[in-house]
Amino acid sequence: MSSAFTPFPGVSGVALVGPIAKRKVEYGTGIVVSTAGHILTDRQLTEGCNVIVVSGYGDAHRQAEDTAADLALLRIYGAPDLVPATFGEAFKGSDLTLLGIADPQSQGGGSAISAMAAKARGETVEPAPQLGFSGGAALDGQGRLVGMVELRTTAVANAGATSPQARATLVPAPTIRAFLDAQRLTPAAAGRLGADAARASLVRVICVRK
């Protein structure tokens, strides 16, 4: 198998093995985008799921997807208290605040929404957040919701040992708006800015696979 590895340019003894196998139960974050129960999340989080659950609300079904941007649109019913997010315009700058619901294993079984500072390097976000943040919100320095973060974990071989390496990317607000427009979803009217407003629109998404 070593002959099939793809080395990282300029890094001796390091090789990319490939994506890590999907877990039987995987946790992520979703962003509420309508009062009718539509939730935006990472398409790969919902891939191969037998059941998709939005924590606190029950089962969800995948209504639409964008394979190029890895966006998925879920829908739940009978949830009158949902608060849709308001996406800003194109992101300019580098400073970001990421909001997500970390995997319960990393927070003692809890479901708290946490925040972390990050930098945008083109489409890449550094440092990559914890497991569970995929599908979470990215805010700019003015507290505007400028995109959604997607997290990918790859197995990397280094000096004979294999370890996971996380990489995060940003799906910008204009791409998200275009996806929602294609589904005939009207974006929420301009609302409050900042982390507290964005937190109110976040939910935990759980994928259960066979």
Side-chain angles (χ1 to χ4, degrees):
M1 289 296 293
S2 61
S3 62
F5 292 167
T6 304
F8 288 116
V11 182
S12 177
V14 178
L16 179 65
V17 178
I20 289 178
K22 292 184 179 296
R23 296 188 295 170
K24 298 294 185 182
V25 179
E26 189 171 358
Y27 296 85
T29 303
I31 304 172
V32 176
V33 292
S34 86
T35 56
H38 295 92
I39 296 168
L40 182 76
T41 192
D42 177 7
R43 185 190 68 84
Q44 290 197 31
L45 169 65
T46 68
E47 196 171 49
C49 304
N50 295 95
V51 179
I52 301 172
V53 176
V54 174
S55 184
Y57 296 100
D59 291 354
H61 77 269
R62 186 164 54 180
Q63 183 167 305
E65 64 177 30
D66 180 339
T67 56
D70 267 339
L71 296 173
L73 184 66
L74 309 179
R75 190 169 186 187
I76 57 176
Y77 295 91
D81 58 340
L82 294 175
V83 179
T86 304
F87 283 91
E89 302 302 325
F91 175 57
K92 297 178 181 179
S94 61
D95 292 335
L96 291 170
T97 297
L98 306 183
L99 297 176
I101 307 173
D103 189 293
Q105 290 186 0
S106 65
Q107 52 171 317
S111 57
I113 298 172
S114 53
M116 63 169 285
K119 296 279 188 181
R121 314 286 188 190
E123 293 183 354
T124 302
V125 175
E126 299 177 348
Q130 303 176 65
L131 289 177
F133 264 70
S134 202
L139 279 62
D140 67 6
Q142 286 70 52
R144 295 173 295 196
L145 208 170
V146 294
M148 186 188 84
V149 64
E150 292 179 338
L151 187 62
R152 302 289 177 261
T153 305
T154 303
V156 174
N158 186 1
T162 301
S163 60
Q165 183 176 79
R167 178 177 181 269
T169 56
L170 178 71
V171 183
T175 299
I176 292 170
R177 284 180 173 272
F179 174 61
L180 297 179
D181 286 346
Q183 307 309 315
R184 300 182 180 179
L185 282 178
T186 303
R192 294 186 303 116
L193 300 180
D196 288 342
R199 285 172 186 266
S201 300
L202 297 187
V203 293
R204 169 175 275 168
V205 177
I206 307 168
C207 166
V208 181
R209 303 183 176 96
K210 285 186 178 179

